[in-house]
Structures are given as C-alpha cells and as structure tokens.
Amino acid sequence: MQTNQFKGVLVMMITVLIWGGTFPVAKAALLSLDAYWMSTIRYSLAALSLVGILCWRESAAALRYRGKFLQASFYGVVGISGFSVLVFVGLSLSRPEHAAIIMALQTPIVAIVHWALKGTRPANFTLACVSVAIAGVFMVITKGDLAHAYSADTLFGDVLIFLGAMCWTAYTIGAVSFPGWSALRFTTLTCLPGTLGIFVATAIATLSGYASVPAGETVLAVAWELVYLALFTVVLAVLFWNMAIGYLGALNAMLLGNLVPVVTFAIRILQGHRFETIELAGAALVVAALIANNLYLRGRIATHAG
C-alpha cells in the first residue's frame, strides 16, 4: 500500500511539473506561431499518439463509438476545440500566470455548475473557499489597482481563458456520461472530433485573416515547445493523472494538482519575471483555498464512511 502511495505521489508530482510548464512554454511558442495553428499542430500530434496508445492498450475495437459518436463529438468540440482555441488565443493576449490561476478555478466552477444544474448546493465551507479563491484571482490579475489593472487586450484575453476553463469544466462533467469507457478511451474518442473542430476553427481564422499558415522554419523554431505541448501536456500528463488517481484516489490527486499554479509562478520567476507582493499573496490565497476545500471534502467523506 505504501509503495502504491509513493508511486502515486511521484507520478502526480511529475504531472504537476508538466502542467505547471504548459502556459510559460505556450506563451513562448505564441511569440512565433499563432494560437490557431499552434492548437492544430499540438492536437494533431496528440490525437495520433492517443490513437496508437489506445490500440495498444485496449485493441483497435476500442476506437468504435458504439452509438455515442454524436455525444462524444459534442464534448470533444466543446471541451477540446473550445478549450484549446479560447485558452491559447486568450494567452496570446494575456500572461501565463493569469492563465494558470484562472484555470485553477475549475474545481470551484464545477461545484457552482452542479449547484446551478442539479440544485446540489455546496457546503458553506466550500462556498467560502470559492469566494477566497476568486478574491485571490482578482488580486493576481488586478495587482490591487482596478482602475489601471488591464489593458483592453489583457482583459479580453483573461475573459477568453475563463470561457476556455468553462469549456473544460463541461468536458470534465461530461465524462460521467460514458460508463464503461476507460479514461484513455474517452480522451481519445473525444480528442478526434475535437481536433477536427480545431481544424475547422483554424481554417476559418486563416481564411478570415486572423491566422496565417506558418512557414516550415517557423514551426521548426518552436519544435520542442510543440512536442512538449502535444506529447507531454496532453498525452503523458493525462496518462500520469489517471495513474495517480488509481494509486491515490481522485481527492488525493486533486490535492496535489492544486500545486500547478505554484509551478507556473516558479517558472515565471526563473524566466526573470518579477511579481509584486499582492500577486504572490493572491496566488497563495487561491492555492490555500483549494487545498482547504479539498481537505474539508476528505474529512466529510471520512466522517460518512465512519
């Protein structure tokens, strides 16, 4: 048992490191490549890799939708197309630390969505943690100066990132609609239509002049960033995340997953960015609120089990 816990913590910490680097790496790539074509190349590589892994682990028969193609396509387009395009277009206008801290709100967003759709009111403690986390995000993105916090582009970028987080929340909730499908199968069979949706969005953006076909040397110049964003953040990290859940359970994995913004901020500091005290305090509030809520939920589960 202790061996499995150690493996789970190790795998989850690797996942945290990978996901923590997503937005700083993506921001560097966006200096040369627009968000649409970056998403297209990223998910093309990821989709091919996932298909190969699924066939290897579960056989080619697992590629069949068995009457759920339209449902899987809906979640793929919303969760993968919507998330990738909105978040990375938003990131091109905003900052990596903003993206990381906004994406950290997904767990509270899920609680609020469940309340709105199913009438399941979160506990008062959870609502308090959500309020603290939102306040922390507000501190990070405004630096305490509401009047002069945003340029128009940064504000618009943050809104797009938030909408992308909402898309991913819908995708996460939708996973329960596919009983009998493994996490790998769900990821792969939604990634395929999701990637097609990205192709369509990129074609429209290119024909409209919002994006341009990159030159070969441009793609090669950010090759390692694209490999990282495709094979590490989409394929490897998702597989490791599922492994961690198997070893530790969902709540324990999510507890460690709350450290992703910490890694993002650390990378930004190593890149030479200097944060104001209020930004660091806001990030700390977000992480502390998410961890506190996680521990609270663990306690409630333990109490009911007892």
Side-chain angles (χ1 to χ4, degrees), residues 72-276:
S73 295
F74 171 78
Y75 286 111
V77 170
V78 171
I80 291 176
S81 308
F83 166 79
S84 188
V85 171
L86 288 169
V87 168
F88 287 110
V89 170
L91 180 61
S92 68
L93 303 171
S94 185
R95 304 183 181 95
E97 59 271 18
H98 286 202
I101 213 72
I102 292 171
M103 293 302 297
L105 289 178
Q106 286 181 84
T107 301
I109 289 172
V110 169
I112 299 301
V113 169
H114 271 291
W115 186 9
L117 296 181
K118 299 183 179 181
T120 308
R121 185 183 185 277
N124 289 335
F125 187 84
T126 293
L127 291 176
C129 288
V130 170
S131 299
V132 171
I134 292 173
V137 171
F138 185 81
M139 291 166 65
V140 171
I141 62 181
T142 65
K143 299 181 183 180
D145 185 359
L146 184 61
H148 303 94
Y150 292 107
S151 69
D153 286 347
T154 302
L155 175 59
F156 184 56
D158 287 343
V159 170
L160 290 179
I161 293 168
F162 178 77
L163 293 176
M166 292 292 289
C167 287
W168 192 255
T169 297
Y171 179 79
T172 302
I173 294 174
V176 301
S177 303
F178 294 80
W181 285 23
S182 67
L184 174 60
R185 186 181 182 190
F186 175 74
T187 302
T188 304
L189 295 189
T190 53
C191 186
L192 293 174
T195 301
L196 181 60
I198 293 173
F199 289 169
V200 172
T202 300
I204 294 172
T206 302
L207 292 173
S208 303
Y210 290 104
S212 57
V213 180
E217 55 267 25
T218 300
V219 175
L220 289 175
V222 293
W224 85 265
E225 287 94 338
L226 292 173
V227 168
Y228 182 89
L229 293 170
L231 303 185
F232 281 79
T233 67
V234 177
V235 179
L236 187 62
V238 169
L239 293 176
F240 277 11
W241 165 256
N242 292 328
M243 288 173 59
I245 290 176
Y247 285 130
L248 301 173
L251 278 178
N252 287 331
M254 289 171 65
L255 178 63
L256 294 174
N258 291 326
L259 297 176
V260 168
V262 176
V263 175
T264 301
F265 273 68
I267 291 172
R268 290 287 285 154
I269 290 171
L270 291 174
Q271 289 177 331
H273 186 79
R274 293 294 174 260
F275 292 103
E276 296 182 15

